[in-house]
Amino acid sequence: MFSYVWHRVRLGAGPGREIDVYAGAGKEHWIAECKWKTGSKVSESEVESFLELKPLVLECEGKGLRILKMWYFSYSGFTPEAEELMTQNGIFWSEKQDLNAVLDMAGLRRLPELR
């Protein structure tokens, strides 16, 4: 159970410092990136940009942070290189069909179709 879930959190000024979802549950924190684009998969460089947020969160939270989980959602999926990089760095990831399967199990409405 999360004690807070924040959306579009900025960790300082400048580009590349925004987190789409920032959540905490005790000493465990989660950050998530969501890409709602169609026609192209998330690339390795986009995953590298997401990884650059990890030290910012660690600095911001300080010694109280014990666990930091990272999750990446992409409506259109990921390139094989992006998947490999996420695997190497312990990042969870989901695509549209993955999230729809969870929504189906929970009896909730599926994600919208984007054009």
Side-chain angles (χ1 to χ4, degrees):
M1 170 77 75
F2 290 108
S3 49
Y4 64 87
V5 178
W6 298 328
H7 301 272
R8 301 195 69 151
V9 173
R10 290 198 56 79
L11 297 179
R17 293 179 167 260
E18 183 174 286
I19 297 173
D20 290 343
V21 179
Y22 192 118
K27 295 181 179 187
E28 180 173 313
H29 289 69
W30 283 75
I31 59 173
E33 178 74 10
C34 304
K35 294 291 186 194
W36 288 90
K37 61 185 179 178
T38 60
S40 66
K41 297 177 182 254
V42 167
S43 68
E44 183 178 22
S45 65
E46 290 172 290
V47 174
E48 288 169 348
S49 294
F50 183 47
L51 280 166
E52 290 173 4
L53 295 170
K54 186 174 183 176
L56 297 174
V57 172
L58 295 172
E59 180 183 329
C60 183
E61 293 296 333
K63 294 181 181 181
L65 178 62
R66 297 282 186 246
I67 300 168
L68 177 61
K69 304 279 185 171
M70 300 176 77
W71 174 62
Y72 211 128
F73 168 75
S74 171
Y75 185 88
S76 296
F78 302 90
T79 65
E81 297 82 11
E83 289 181 2
E84 178 64 28
L85 184 58
M86 289 185 292
T87 298
Q88 291 171 355
N89 286 279
I91 297 173
F92 299 99
W93 76 86
S94 303
E95 299 176 4
K96 176 186 164 200
Q97 65 270 18
D98 302 321
L99 228 43
N100 276 335
V102 172
L103 294 169
D104 288 344
M105 285 190 314
L108 299 172
R109 183 179 48 184
R110 289 176 148 238
L111 297 174
E113 293 297 324
L114 301 180
R115 297 175 198 253

